[in-house]
Amino acid sequence: MARPDINRSGEIEVFVRVVEAGSFSAAARALRMTPSAVSKLIARLEARLGGRLVSRSTRKLQLTPEGTSFYDSSLRILADLDAAEREAAAGAQPRGRLRVNSYVPFGQHRLMELLPRFLERYPEISVEAVLTDNVINLLQERADVAIRAGPLSESRLVARKLGQSRMVVVAAPAYLEARGTPRTPAELARHNLLAFGFVRHIDGMPFVDAKGMPVVVPIVGNSTMSDGEAMRLTTLAGAGIARLARWHVEPDIAAGLLVPLLEEFNPGDVEPTHAVYVGQGKHLPARVRAFLDFLAETVRL
C-alpha cells in the first residue's frame, strides 16, 4: 500500500503533461511549476517505479518502452479519476461530455440520426462526435467510445458488437451502360475498381469460383477513397465498381441507384461493427455505459 505522503495522481498528471508538452520546461509553464521541480518529480516517479520512463539523451523528449506503457495506463487512470469525481458529484447519474469517434458511414447514416434521441433521454450529457475511417488511439484522442467496422486487432480495449452486414459489389446503372456488366470475377480486370486509401484486412475483392473455391481480384482503378461514404458517393456518380457493406447501400439498391453485381460469386462474408472502449463493468463511467446500452438497443445493421 502506498504511503499517504505520496501524491500518485499528482505525479501521474505531471508525467502526462510532460509527454504531451514534449519537454519539461513546456510542462512546467502549463502547470505553473519550475522546470527543476518537474524534473525532480519525474525522477522521483522513476525511482519509485524502478525504471526509466523518459529518455533525456536527445534534445527532443522520448519515451522508453516502459514510459509508453505507463503513459497509456496514466491516461486511463486520469480518465477514471475524472469520471469518478463527476459521478460522485452527480449521484452516478449519466452526465458530462461524451467523446465518440465513428467510422464515416456509420456516423452519417446511423449515429447522426440516433444522437437526438440519446440526448433527449440523457439531457445532462453532451456529445462531441468525430467521424473518420482512420484507426485512432482512444487514450491519446481522449475518446470514450470508438465505433469501427471490420475485424478487431488484439488490444487492451473492450469491444461490444453492434451488428454485422453482408458485403456486396455494386455499380451505378450509368457506369454499367457505358462499360458493360461483368458476368464473372475475371471480367473485373476490364473495369475501374474503386479502392480505399487505408489498409484493409482483405487486399482485393474476394469471390468464390464456380467450384466454390476462393478467388481474390486485385483492385485496380483510377480512384482511391478516404472512407466508405466517399466510396459510396463516387460509385453513385458512375465512377466505377465498389465493394461495400450491404446496410450502407441498401437504400440505393432499393431505389435503383446502384446495382448488385456477381452475386452468384459472392462468398457471403460479413463485416461486423463494434463499439470499442476502455474499461468494463462497474468501472465504466455512467455516460459511457448509457451510450453503449443505447447503441445496443437502437442500432440495426
Side-chain angles (χ1 to χ4, degrees):
M1 183 173 180
R3 299 196 315 271
D5 59 333
I6 296 178
N7 183 359
R8 291 193 291 176
S9 63
E11 288 180 346
I12 288 173
E13 185 171 1
V14 171
F15 172 70
V16 168
R17 285 297 187 97
V18 167
V19 175
E20 294 179 344
S23 70
F24 288 171
S25 57
R29 287 193 296 271
L31 295 166
R32 296 184 179 180
M33 299 171 62
T34 64
S36 62
V38 171
S39 180
K40 289 178 182 178
L41 190 148
I42 297 299
R44 186 169 67 242
L45 176 61
E46 290 175 327
R48 182 161 57 81
L49 296 177
R52 182 62 63 89
L53 301 176
V54 179
S55 173
R56 301 166 177 80
S57 60
T58 62
R59 305 181 89 184
K60 182 180 179 181
L61 182 147
Q62 291 184 331
L63 289 175
T64 65
E66 294 78 12
T68 299
S69 177
F70 188 69
Y71 174 67
D72 290 342
S73 297
S74 296
L75 291 176
R76 186 166 58 251
I77 290 168
L78 292 177
D80 287 345
L81 285 172
D82 186 47
E85 290 179 353
R86 286 197 301 268
E87 290 184 11
Q93 294 300 312
R95 65 178 302 172
R97 181 177 295 275
L98 178 74
R99 295 177 175 86
V100 181
N101 189 291
S102 171
Y103 71 100
V104 178
F106 184 92
Q108 292 191 351
H109 294 276
R110 290 294 188 272
L111 183 61
M112 292 302 107
E113 68 181 29
L114 292 175
L115 278 182
R117 292 168 55 187
F118 175 74
L119 294 172
E120 182 179 6
R121 183 181 299 184
Y122 300 103
E124 297 299 315
I125 294 178
S126 62
V127 174
E128 177 183 319
V130 175
L131 306 187
T132 176
D133 277 17
N134 293 329
V135 177
I136 68 160
N137 184 312
L138 263 70
L139 297 173
Q140 291 181 355
E141 297 294 329
R142 304 292 179 90
D144 294 304
V145 179
I147 302 172
R148 287 291 174 265
L152 296 175
S153 59
E154 293 293 329
S155 75
R156 291 170 292 172
L157 302 175
V158 183
R160 186 167 181 175
K161 189 174 181 179
L162 301 179
Q164 62 185 26
S165 179
R166 185 170 175 270
M167 303 300 292
V168 62
V169 176
V170 292
Y175 173 87
L176 298 175
E177 183 177 348
R179 299 287 297 271
T181 300
R183 302 301 178 185
T184 67
E187 292 183 13
L188 290 174
R190 300 195 296 268
H191 287 269
N192 191 47
L193 307 184
L194 304 180
F196 284 107
F198 51 86
V199 176
R200 305 283 286 177
H201 65 281
I202 297 177
D203 188 17
M205 289 187 179
F207 296 94
V208 292
D209 61 19
K211 297 181 180 180
M213 299 301 294
V215 176
V216 177
V217 175
I219 296 178
V220 179
N222 60 12
S223 300
T224 301
M225 302 295 115
S226 64
D227 59 75
E229 182 63 8
M231 179 77 78
R232 168 182 167 267
L233 293 174
T234 304
T235 308
L236 283 169
I241 296 174
R243 187 172 189 265
L244 294 162
R246 182 91 188 196
W247 76 264
H248 187 190
V249 293
E250 189 64 53
D252 303 315
I253 294 173
L257 301 176
L258 290 176
V259 178
L261 303 174
L262 304 171
E263 280 293 86
E264 63 269 38
F265 302 99
N266 193 318
D269 57 320
V270 296
E271 182 179 73
T273 292
H274 293 88
V276 184
Y277 54 98
V278 179
Q280 56 185 332
K282 64 182 180 181
H283 300 297
L284 275 181
R287 68 187 188 283
V288 176
R289 185 165 51 249
F291 183 64
L292 293 171
D293 291 343
F294 177 82
L295 289 177
E297 172 192 334
T298 57
V299 170
R300 299 291 180 269
L301 295 179

